[in-house]
């Protein structure tokens, strides 16, 4: 009974937090979610020559194609961020950013690096949740496609987004034998399973937000490293990508898990 009381108290605290932040949470979630695209687009502007030269040398594609690649990344990312934040053509912006993720995955050979691939997929999960949020109830993007219900596409987008988001946490697991690492892995694994299956979803997602926020500030403190050192850019990349996943989790907190979840099925029981 003590365990049930503790869980009930935690859920009450989470509900109180949602009531207080209801108006602002979706806006904060979107800002966090697009932060990595915003940072990368700005970096393309300030590191134009370095990025172009890297693509030209790596792919031997010539000056023109390398320039087109950098320009596409710059316009695609900054333009997509502006559209999402202004709530205009959000679905098209999401599809454009999906394309940017796919393009960068190939161009920077992320496909062969499991850790970065999983983080890119998690980023795609955040965009799926944003797509679900932006989808109006009256108009379906999947017009003419048979579904189990009017909101089925939205529900399955939310499910896909939740499952992809948890990939970020799999990259944070440490296979050490010390007590703290084992405890962190056990708690983290339990929470990501809860989010994936949609059980106690808002509480689990909110707990993961706090956990990931602490890890991000502690381990990815790029502002403590001089800008001329390569580690500065590496930590900065990690920091903003993690912030985007936090944004995706905040969308889960704000929107709930959707119809394809244990939380929703419990209502039918």
């Amino acid at each position: 009974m003590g365990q049930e009381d503790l869980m009930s108290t935690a859920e009450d605290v989470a509900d109180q937090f949602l009531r207080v932040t209801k108006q602002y949470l979706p806006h904060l979630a979107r800002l966090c979610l697009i932060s990595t695209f915003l940072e990368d687009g700005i970096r393309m502007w300030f590191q134009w020559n370095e990025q172009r030269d890297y693509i030209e040398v790596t792919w031997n594609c010539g000056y023109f194609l390398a320039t087109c690649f950098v320009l596409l990344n710059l316009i695609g990312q900054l333009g997509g961020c502006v559209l999402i934040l202004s709530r205009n053509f959000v679905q098209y912006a999401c599809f454009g950013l999906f394309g940017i993720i796919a393009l960068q995955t190939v161009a920077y050979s992320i496909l062969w690096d499991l850790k970065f691939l999983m983080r890119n997929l998690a980023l795609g999960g955040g965009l799926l949740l944003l797509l679900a949020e932006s989808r109006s109830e009256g108009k379906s993007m999947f017009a003419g496609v048979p579904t189990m219900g009017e909101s089925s596409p939205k529900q399955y987008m939310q499910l896909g987004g939740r499952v992809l988001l948890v990939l970020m946490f799999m990259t944070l697991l440490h296979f050490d034998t010390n007590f703290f690492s084992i405890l962190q892995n056990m708690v983290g694994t339990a929470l990501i399973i809860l989010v994936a299956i949609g059980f106690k979803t808002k509480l689990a997602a909110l707990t993961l937000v706090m956990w990931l926020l602490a890890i991000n500030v502690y381990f990815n403190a790029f502002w403590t490293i001089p800008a001329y050192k390569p580690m500065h850019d590496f930590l900065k990349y990690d920091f903003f990508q993690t912030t985007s996943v936090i944004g995706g989790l905040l969308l889960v907190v704000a929107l709930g898990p959707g119809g394809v979840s244990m939380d929703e099925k419990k209502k039918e029981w």
Side-chain angles (χ1 to χ4, degrees):
M1 189 64 185
Q3 218 173 16
E4 289 179 9
D5 287 343
L6 186 64
M7 183 64 72
S8 178
T9 302
E11 288 183 318
D12 288 343
V13 171
D15 287 339
Q16 180 63 27
F17 172 81
L18 286 173
R19 279 193 291 271
V20 172
T21 61
K22 187 177 181 181
Q23 277 186 303
Y24 313 104
L25 199 58
H27 302 291
L28 178 62
R30 286 192 291 271
L31 181 60
C32 289
L33 185 55
I34 59 98
S35 64
T36 191
F37 299 107
L38 189 60
E39 186 276 330
D40 197 51
I42 293 171
R43 184 164 56 87
M44 289 288 170
W45 176 269
F46 286 104
Q47 297 181 3
W48 178 279
N49 292 332
E50 293 93 326
Q51 294 296 325
R52 185 198 59 222
D53 292 344
Y54 172 82
I55 293 297
E56 185 177 358
V57 170
T58 303
W59 291 97
N60 196 27
C61 59
Y63 180 90
F64 177 74
L65 287 179
T67 301
C68 288
F69 172 85
V70 178
L71 184 64
L72 180 62
N73 271 271
L74 190 153
I75 295 175
Q77 292 184 104
L78 294 183
C81 290
V82 169
L83 290 177
I84 287 170
L85 290 178
S86 64
R87 309 299 291 146
N88 292 310
F89 306 105
V90 175
Q91 294 179 6
Y92 296 108
C94 286
F95 286 128
L97 292 176
F98 275 127
I100 294 292
I101 291 175
L103 184 63
Q104 290 190 354
T105 298
V106 175
Y108 294 111
S109 302
I110 292 172
L111 199 58
W112 315 117
D113 188 318
L114 186 59
K115 178 181 176 181
F116 284 104
L117 178 61
M118 290 171 78
R119 290 192 172 195
N120 267 15
L121 288 172
L123 201 55
L127 287 176
L128 260 183
L129 290 168
L130 186 59
L131 202 55
E133 187 222 12
S134 70
R135 184 179 179 273
S136 64
E137 294 296 329
K139 297 179 181 177
S140 171
M141 291 162 32
F142 301 89
V145 178
T147 63
M148 294 174 65
E150 187 182 347
S151 58
S152 286
K154 180 178 178 179
Q155 292 175 1
Y156 288 113
M157 280 189 275
Q158 287 178 280
L159 171 64
R162 289 199 323 268
V163 172
L164 288 175
L165 271 183
V166 304
L167 293 177
M168 165 60 82
F169 297 91
M170 294 176 67
T171 69
L172 298 174
L173 298 178
H174 299 286
F175 299 100
D176 299 328
T177 54
N178 65 71
F179 174 76
F180 180 74
S181 292
I182 293 172
L183 180 64
Q184 180 178 311
N185 289 347
M186 288 174 63
V187 173
T189 301
L191 289 171
I192 63 177
I193 289 172
L194 290 176
V195 170
I197 65 176
F199 183 67
K200 307 286 185 186
T201 316
K202 291 186 177 183
L203 178 59
L206 194 56
T207 306
L208 281 175
V209 165
M210 293 186 290
W211 180 41
L212 196 53
L213 186 61
I215 289 175
N216 200 26
V217 172
Y218 183 77
F219 289 107
N220 296 327
F222 66 90
W223 52 89
T224 63
I225 307 292
Y228 63 85
K229 291 190 175 182
M231 183 57 72
H232 176 89
D233 283 344
F234 178 78
L235 291 179
K236 193 175 183 181
Y237 173 83
D238 259 13
F239 179 87
F240 282 103
Q241 199 166 50
T242 305
T243 301
S244 288
V245 174
I246 289 173
L249 284 168
L250 286 174
L251 275 181
V252 173
V253 174
L255 298 176
V260 188
S261 65
M262 288 187 68
D263 284 344
E264 195 65 27
K265 296 303 176 188
K266 276 197 307 178
K267 297 176 184 177
E268 299 175 9
W269 301 342

